[in-house]
Amino acid sequence: MTVPRALRVTLLVVAWFNLVSAVAGMIGLTAGGGIGVPLGWLEGTPFTTYFWPGVILGVVVGGMQALAVIAQYRRYALAWGLQAAAGLVMMIWIFVELAMLLVWSPLHGIYFGTGLLQTVLAVLALGAWPRPLLSRTP
C-alpha cells in the first residue's frame, strides 16, 4: 500500500515538532535550571530538581521521535509503527506528568494533541482507512 504524500509529510512535520520540542525541553530543564517552572511542582514526586525529568524527556520522548523520523526518511517498513509508538510515548509522557505534578498547562493539551495526531496518522498510514460506519464488508 502506498501512503499518500500529504500523510507522509504531515507525519514528518508532527514528528519533527515533537522531537525539537522534546530536545528543547530537555535543554531547558537540565541546563536551563527548569526554565522558570516552580520547584514546588515537584513536591510529592521522586524528583527534587528538573534535571532527571529533562533527561527522560530528551532521551525517551525525543529519542523515540528521532527513531520515527530516521525510519521514515530511510523508508524502513517499520516507520509507521515507530511513528505510532512515538505518538503513544508522547501521550504517556503527558499523562504521567499530569498525574505526578497535578498541574495543568495549555502545553499539556498541545503536546497530548500532537501525540494523538501522530498516532492516528500513523495508524492510517498502516492501512486502517475508515469506512462509513454502517457500510457492509464484502
Side-chain angles (χ1 to χ4, degrees):
M1 179 185 101
T2 302
V3 177
R5 177 175 166 71
L7 181 55
R8 292 191 321 264
V9 169
T10 304
L11 263 171
L12 274 176
V13 168
V14 172
W16 270 110
F17 175 79
N18 287 342
L19 172 57
V20 169
S21 296
V23 171
M26 177 184 71
I27 292 167
L29 291 172
T30 57
I35 51 177
V37 181
L39 274 177
W41 287 7
L42 291 176
E43 288 180 25
T45 74
F47 306 106
T48 56
T49 70
Y50 286 104
F51 180 81
W52 287 112
V55 170
I56 295 166
L57 173 63
V59 172
V60 176
V61 178
M64 194 66 217
Q65 296 293 337
L67 287 174
V69 166
I70 291 166
Q72 188 172 341
Y73 276 125
R74 292 188 178 174
R75 299 178 186 210
Y76 291 151
L78 66 122
W80 312 128
L82 286 174
Q83 286 281 9
L88 289 170
V89 166
M90 177 64 83
M91 289 188 290
I92 291 167
W93 169 263
I94 295 300
F95 180 79
V96 170
E97 185 175 311
L98 287 170
M100 290 180 81
L101 299 181
L102 300 175
V103 176
W104 168 259
S105 162
L107 290 176
H108 290 118
I110 291 168
Y111 289 113
F112 190 87
T114 61
L116 179 61
L117 176 63
Q118 185 176 19
T119 302
V120 168
L121 292 176
V123 168
L124 291 174
L126 285 165
W129 293 96
R131 297 184 199 175
L133 184 62
L134 300 175
S135 67
R136 296 181 186 264
T137 57

